[in-house]
Amino acid sequence: RMQAYDKLGETDKAIDDAIKYYDKAENPDVSLINSIFKKHISYALALVKNMISKSEDSRKWKMLLTTIYELDYDYVNAIKEYNRIEREYGATPAIHYYRSYCYNELGDSENAIKDITKCIEAGDGNDYYAVSRRAHIYQDAGLYDKAITDFTKMIEMEPMMVYGYYVRGWCYEYAGDDQKAMDDYNAGIDIEKNYSGLYMMRGRLHRKQGNMELAKPDFEKVLDLDTIAGSGSSRHYALLFLDKKEEAVAWMDKIIETDTANSGSYYDKAGLLSLMDKSQDAIAALKVS
């Protein structure tokens, strides 16, 4: 019924049922709940705070509250809530994992690395997703050697998951080793033929090396595979590099429409516009970001 109300556009009724669903379900789909909450965050926030005040099991509602703060990009309050939960119930790997994301979004790499390292240590170093999180924090901080070490560990743990090759190749590029980057993109594509990001990265590298004859089929492959506008899409860059500039901007705007509060999408649009030598438009997008 929650999903039916959501499809009918009756958001508040959908949120009411989402609260009941979260309360009753043994393993609720929090990502589904969040997709509805984000359509009226202030209402969801009020209901969850009400459940915290009257529920016998307030801990799970407090954890849900942190996800609402994160949905609203309110990482400061999310961290405060994680800290309160930790003081009240003790530290857990989950708290370290999710709080590290919040610290990283605020640019606090030091605390982000401390938290995610505690999470990794709690799992004896074998938590693929925790290692991935730390690798990305290192990458964001420009610590490419450390990021490559963690991405390599990911590949060793899950050699058939091509995401590891994709992100490690990206880091090799940042570190200035284009050959190792190309080796990773090729290795990933050998394993998974339908991962659009690998074609995007390999095409960019071919283009960077002045080989558009090899780059063009990769960009065309991206257009075949990357067909859903969202924060993970890179279709706009493929369109740009294939000299379809108007379509590239239109696709970027379509991505922004899916979440107008996502600062990263405006940042991405600025990057796209700057590559098109539209400096003033790029600056305008950065100001929005």
Side-chain angles (χ1 to χ4, degrees), residues 62-219:
K62 289 175 181 178
M63 286 300 291
L64 187 62
L65 180 62
T66 63
T67 71
I68 297 176
Y69 284 135
E70 289 176 38
L71 282 175
D72 201 28
Y73 308 103
D74 187 356
Y75 301 112
V76 171
N77 273 321
I79 289 170
K80 288 179 180 178
E81 193 60 36
Y82 283 124
N83 291 344
R84 279 193 284 266
I85 295 169
E86 185 177 39
R87 286 194 299 271
E88 189 171 352
Y89 301 101
T92 66
I95 289 175
H96 292 308
Y97 181 87
Y98 292 113
R99 190 170 56 193
S100 72
Y101 171 78
C102 296
Y103 276 127
N104 195 48
E105 288 298 299
L106 291 172
D108 188 348
S109 302
E110 183 178 352
N111 276 315
I113 291 168
K114 284 180 182 177
D115 250 343
I116 197 60
T117 298
K118 289 177 182 177
C119 179
I120 292 169
E121 289 170 350
D124 296 325
N126 295 316
D127 185 327
Y128 178 90
Y129 294 101
V131 173
S132 174
R133 169 64 55 80
R134 188 173 67 181
H136 280 292
I137 294 170
Y138 282 140
Q139 182 182 10
D140 290 345
L143 302 171
Y144 301 122
D145 288 345
K146 290 185 176 181
I148 288 168
T149 297
D150 274 352
F151 286 135
T152 300
K153 187 169 185 177
M154 286 166 56
I155 292 170
E156 290 170 353
M157 286 191 282
E158 297 286 352
M160 296 303 291
M161 290 184 69
V162 299
Y163 181 71
Y165 300 96
Y166 167 73
V167 286
R168 189 177 67 177
W170 201 340
C171 275
Y172 275 132
E173 273 199 73
Y174 279 131
D177 195 332
D178 287 355
Q179 186 55 57
K180 284 187 177 178
M182 186 66 78
D183 290 344
D184 267 348
Y185 301 146
N186 286 331
I189 290 170
D190 283 343
I191 296 168
E192 173 56 66
K193 305 296 184 187
N194 294 318
Y195 195 98
S196 65
L198 285 163
Y199 292 101
M200 184 71 242
M201 297 303 291
R202 189 174 70 177
R204 282 180 62 258
L205 189 50
H206 282 312
R207 179 178 179 271
K208 175 181 165 185
Q209 294 171 344
N211 196 338
M212 276 303 292
E213 188 176 342
L214 290 176
K216 186 177 178 181
D218 276 343
F219 295 141

